[in-house]
Amino acid sequence: QLQASGGGLVQAGASLRLSCAASGRTFSSYIMGWFRQAPGKEREFVAAIVWSSGNTYYLDSVKGRFTISRDNAKNTVYLQMNSLKPEDTAVYYCTAGLLGAVVPQIRDGRNYVYWGQGTLVTVSS
């Protein structure tokens, strides 16, 4: 089970940190991801982390602004979002999947099994 939190309404340039608390199973063998879906748009990959190794992957447009990390002790994955832009406005979903660390697979939401409920991020200009 995945529980996402931390969304909110902020102005452009501000920061937010999303959290994804994992429970019910051990996710140490999983790849944990964040996807987002803006109104009227398709869901898109944002970032992912291989829980065991800590290797990370990012959407090009968020590189240098967003950082995904995990806390083993808290069984929680974070998405630190800095320098937010209006185009980052979306519902953000955390997800987990047993998949290979291959970029095309990591970016495809169909390869993830567990999804959180989503948290809304709104960035005003």
Side-chain angles (χ1 to χ4, degrees), residues 12-78:
S15 298
L16 279 175
R17 189 178 77 160
L18 305 184
S19 299
C20 176
S23 62
R25 63 172 56 245
T26 300
F27 287 93
S28 58
S29 299
Y30 283 68
I31 290 179
M32 308 297 292
W34 287 97
F35 285 74
R36 67 187 181 186
Q37 187 166 20
K41 295 187 177 181
E42 293 187 354
R43 181 180 63 194
E44 69 173 350
F45 167 81
V46 177
I49 185 167
V50 181
W51 194 293
S52 58
S53 67
N55 290 342
T56 57
Y57 305 83
Y58 295 96
L59 176 69
D60 284 347
S61 63
V62 307
K63 283 181 181 177
R65 299 189 298 122
F66 291 11
T67 302
I68 188 171
S69 62
R70 85 272 194 242
D71 184 323
N72 290 333
K74 295 183 178 180
N75 219 29
T76 298
V77 174
Y78 302 100

Side-chain angles (χ1 to χ4, degrees), residues 66-113:
F66 291 11
T67 302
I68 188 171
S69 62
R70 85 272 194 242
D71 184 323
N72 290 333
K74 295 183 178 180
N75 219 29
T76 298
V77 174
Y78 302 100
L79 185 68
Q80 177 67 43
M81 305 186 296
N82 299 328
S83 302
L84 283 162
K85 302 176 180 180
E87 52 263 43
D88 295 318
T89 294
V91 177
Y92 284 71
Y93 298 91
C94 65
T95 186
L98 281 172
L99 60 156
V102 178
V103 171
Q105 293 185 19
I106 290 172
R107 293 177 179 268
D108 188 343
R110 295 172 296 179
N111 292 318
Y112 293 81
V113 176

